[in-house]
């Protein structure tokens, strides 16, 4: 789930300033009012899925746990807040001692979710929980959007290999997070080495058009690449003439050539022609990789093409048109005083528009039919009904400020396969439609 799983901690600076100023000013006012210590429950959820999406994918949970662990105010940060007069001295003293000491429960990474699903529940004092709002939402909104796009592409690919290639299309740090989320959503590899180093994701890459253009002839470029990387390499064949390039590729590398990559043109037509040519040349085992601004719809359109792998960049790292999940982080319950045994009171914003929410600390479970297929997302605030016992979706992530649920990234990836496979078949449709499961509140 994070770099600790590989035994290599990546130096992460404090995440305390990955926040909005009003989180700190609320703490200052609450400290002065004597309400900062009231036991509180916050929940992260989305009121709706992006238009046309049938399900969402939880991703970024491991990064959230890292962020919570690294959320502390060191001397340099305190000095900045003092210099800018963001908050007063009593608040600065409180912040200097800050470490999250509460509890966090949530949907495990790779699980699917629907409107209203309590994806993350953060519990502790008001002050320590409210500070985490922005960093939690920034991670979950970004990573879950990428994972949802990746999941749709994975479903469209039908088991064919998927390579994440979007690093040059987004912020350099977002690229690493995107590769991680894409892996959770079903991608098999990434071109981004930082993602490989931090999270153990398989990395791939051979050459670009620039390498071919560097040499006097395409054959010179192919020969240089094969001499260096071996016959199992992937040769890019669309710099000049595809037919001539494929012929040269097989002549130079032999019938054991690993793969050819096509990055332009009518991919459906070109893939068929290249497959036929490769087979005629005896390179029946040479695979075909296609790239070129692919998304889930383009991948689906190539289902009948003799394609072995897809490389996806821009559309993946931008969530295929939906770069955020519109998740929010709301106070749903709080104690009436700072007394340890003060009972929790459900709270919720009243709104005439679409921003309403339901109060109370929630549980969630997924009801299935007699075939084990999910048929409803059930959410409640009281006791879990007996028929749903053992099907609760939230798991303990942090207890008393200590992370208790670290896991390898592979676990989240495998969980998603199971979760998606338990949805109705209509969840895999790319046509616009409503969420495949309704949400029931009990």
């Amino acid at each position: 789930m994070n770099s600790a799983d590989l035994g290599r901690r990546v130096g992460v600076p404090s995440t305390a300033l990955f926040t909005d100023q009003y989180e700190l000013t609320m703490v200052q006012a609450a400290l002065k009012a004597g309400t900062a210590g009231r036991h509180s429950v916050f929940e992260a959820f989305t009121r709706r899925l992006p238009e046309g999406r049938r399900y969402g994918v939880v991703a970024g949970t491991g990064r959230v746990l890292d962020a919570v662990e690294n959320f502390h105010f060191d001397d340099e940060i305190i000095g900045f807040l003092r210099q800018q007069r963001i908050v007063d001295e009593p608040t600065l003293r409180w912040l200097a001692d800050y470490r999250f000491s509460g509890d966090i429960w949530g949907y495990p990474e790779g699980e699917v979710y629907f409107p209203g699903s309590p994806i993350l529940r953060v519990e502790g004092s008001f002050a320590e929980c409210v500070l985490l709002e922005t960093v939690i939402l920034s991670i979950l909104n970004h990573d879950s959007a990428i994972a949802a796009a990746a999941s749709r592409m994975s479903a469209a690919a039908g088991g064919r290999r998927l390579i994440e290639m979007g690093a040059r299309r987004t912020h350099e740090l977002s690229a690493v997070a995107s590769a991680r989320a894409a892996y959770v959503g079903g991608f098999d590899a990434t071109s981004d080495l930082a993602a490989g180093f931090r999270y153990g994701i398989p990395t791939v890459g051979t050459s670009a058009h620039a390498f071919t253009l560097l040499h006097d002839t395409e054959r010179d470029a192919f020969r240089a690449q094969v001499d260096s990387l071996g016959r199992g390499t992937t040769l890019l064949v669309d710099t000049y003439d595809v037919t001539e390039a494929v012929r040269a590729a097989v002549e130079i590398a032999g019938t054991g050539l690993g793969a050819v990559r096509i990055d332009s043109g009518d991919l459906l037509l070109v893939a068929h022609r290249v497959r036929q040519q490769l087979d005629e040349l005896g390179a029946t085992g040479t695979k075909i990789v296609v790239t070129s601004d692919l998304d889930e719809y383009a991948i689906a359109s190539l289902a009948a093409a003799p394609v072995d792998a897809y490389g996806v960049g821009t559309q993946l790292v931008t969530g295929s048109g939906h770069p955020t999940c519109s998740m929010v982080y709301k106070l749903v319950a709080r104690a009436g005083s700072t007394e340890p045994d003060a009972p929790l009171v459900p709270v919720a914003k009243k709104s005439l528009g679409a921003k309403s929410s339901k109060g109370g600390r929630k549980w969630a479970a997924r009801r299935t039919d007699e075939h084990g297929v999910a048929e409803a997302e059930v959410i409640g605030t009281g006791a879990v009904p007996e028929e749903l016992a053992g099907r609760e979706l939230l798991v303990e992530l942090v207890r008393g400020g200590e992370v208790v649920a670290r896991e390898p990234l592979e676990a989240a990836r495998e969980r998603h396969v199971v979760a998606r496979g338990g949805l109705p078949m209509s969840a895999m449709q790319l046509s616009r439609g409503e969420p495949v499961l309704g949400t029931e509140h009990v």
Side-chain angles (χ1 to χ4, degrees):
M1 184 175 280
N2 63 27
S3 55
D5 301 320
L6 306 177
R8 61 170 76 101
R9 294 292 291 180
V10 177
V12 178
S14 167
T15 53
L17 292 184
F18 294 166
T19 190
D20 292 297
Q21 181 168 315
Y22 77 172
E23 314 290 7
L24 273 65
T25 54
M26 280 193 287
V27 169
Q28 175 178 308
L31 287 170
K32 187 172 184 179
T35 54
R38 287 188 175 186
H39 191 78
S40 300
V41 180
F42 286 80
E43 289 175 353
F45 61 94
T46 185
R47 297 184 176 95
R48 66 190 67 82
L49 296 181
E51 184 180 357
R53 295 290 171 87
R54 306 300 180 93
Y55 61 94
V57 181
V58 178
T61 308
R63 297 207 309 120
V64 166
L65 298 181
D66 285 347
V68 171
E69 281 192 331
N70 286 285
F71 202 98
H72 57 86
F73 297 81
D74 57 28
D75 292 343
E76 186 175 8
I77 292 175
I78 294 295
F80 165 76
L81 297 175
R82 178 178 290 115
Q83 181 185 44
Q84 298 299 314
R85 298 183 179 180
I86 303 297
V87 290
D88 61 18
E89 286 299 322
T91 305
L92 290 176
R93 289 193 293 271
W94 186 90
L95 293 174
D97 294 330
Y98 178 87
R99 290 292 189 281
F100 180 72
S101 63
D103 303 325
I104 300 178
W105 287 68
Y107 280 39
E109 193 157 20
E111 183 58 83
V112 296
Y113 70 88
F114 300 90
S117 296
I119 296 165
L120 201 73
R121 188 176 73 216
V122 182
E123 195 162 346
S125 72
F126 172 83
E128 66 177 335
C129 293
V130 76
L131 285 178
L132 299 176
E133 175 181 5
T134 302
V135 70
I136 285 176
L137 288 180
S138 67
I139 294 172
L140 291 181
N141 269 312
H142 174 270
D143 289 23
S144 297
I146 306 305
S151 179
R152 284 163 60 85
M153 294 174 189
S154 174
R160 293 173 176 176
R161 186 171 171 80
L162 287 164
I163 305 165
E164 185 279 315
M165 304 171 63
R168 64 191 62 190
R169 299 291 188 247
T170 187
H171 185 280
E172 64 271 19
L173 297 182
S174 296
V176 182
S178 294
R180 183 186 184 281
Y183 194 65
V184 170
F187 272 59
D188 301 285
T190 179
S191 65
D192 190 84
L193 289 177
F197 173 74
R198 294 191 183 190
Y199 301 116
I201 301 170
T203 60
V204 297
T206 51
S207 68
H209 292 101
F211 186 77
T212 300
L213 296 171
L214 167 68
H215 293 79
D216 295 335
T217 69
E218 190 170 50
R219 285 177 173 270
D220 288 343
F222 287 174
R223 190 172 293 106
Q225 184 174 327
V226 171
D227 287 347
S228 175
L229 302 178
R231 299 179 186 277
T233 191
T234 299
L235 294 175
L236 181 57
V237 296
D238 73 328
T239 305
Y240 304 117
D241 180 271
V242 173
T243 301
E244 288 300 318
V246 171
R247 182 180 296 111
V250 176
E251 288 178 4
I252 293 167
T255 56
L257 173 64
V260 295
R261 178 162 75 94
I262 307 166
D263 188 51
S264 59
D266 184 336
L267 297 179
L268 179 62
L269 176 62
V270 175
H272 276 287
R273 289 177 174 173
V274 168
R275 182 72 271 159
Q276 180 179 355
Q277 185 181 9
L278 286 170
D279 291 346
E280 290 173 350
L281 292 171
T284 56
T286 298
K287 299 184 182 302
I288 297 176
V289 181
V290 296
T291 53
S292 185
D293 293 326
L294 299 177
D295 61 9
E296 60 265 50
Y297 302 102
I299 291 171
S301 73
L302 292 168
V307 171
D308 299 285
Y310 305 94
V312 190
T314 302
Q315 292 301 318
L316 177 61
V317 299
T318 56
S320 196
H322 297 289
T324 179
C325 302
S326 299
M327 291 185 194
V328 295
Y329 182 89
K330 297 297 181 183
L331 180 66
V332 297
R334 51 86 176 166
S337 71
T338 57
E339 294 299 318
D341 57 350
L344 287 173
V345 179
V347 295
K349 172 184 176 181
K350 290 184 178 180
S351 175
L352 298 178
K355 287 193 171 184
S356 61
S357 58
K358 297 182 180 294
R361 180 203 280 133
K362 300 176 190 67
W363 53 263
R366 192 162 295 147
R367 191 172 66 240
T368 59
D369 63 18
E370 65 272 20
H371 303 292
V373 178
E375 60 180 12
E377 193 89 337
V378 185
I379 300 171
T381 56
V384 178
E386 185 176 342
E387 65 271 18
L388 294 175
R391 296 185 180 179
E392 295 96 330
L393 292 164
L394 279 78
V395 299
E396 190 177 27
L397 301 172
V398 177
R399 182 192 310 136
E402 298 295 325
V403 174
V404 296
R406 294 206 186 281
E407 62 180 3
L409 194 57
E410 289 289 344
R413 175 181 169 83
E414 293 167 4
R415 181 180 295 115
H416 179 61
V417 172
V418 174
R420 190 177 67 184
L423 296 177
M425 291 184 64
S426 58
M428 304 305 110
Q429 294 177 346
L430 296 180
S431 58
R432 293 187 179 277
E434 297 300 314
V436 71
L437 293 189
T439 302
E440 297 179 7
H441 291 270
V442 298

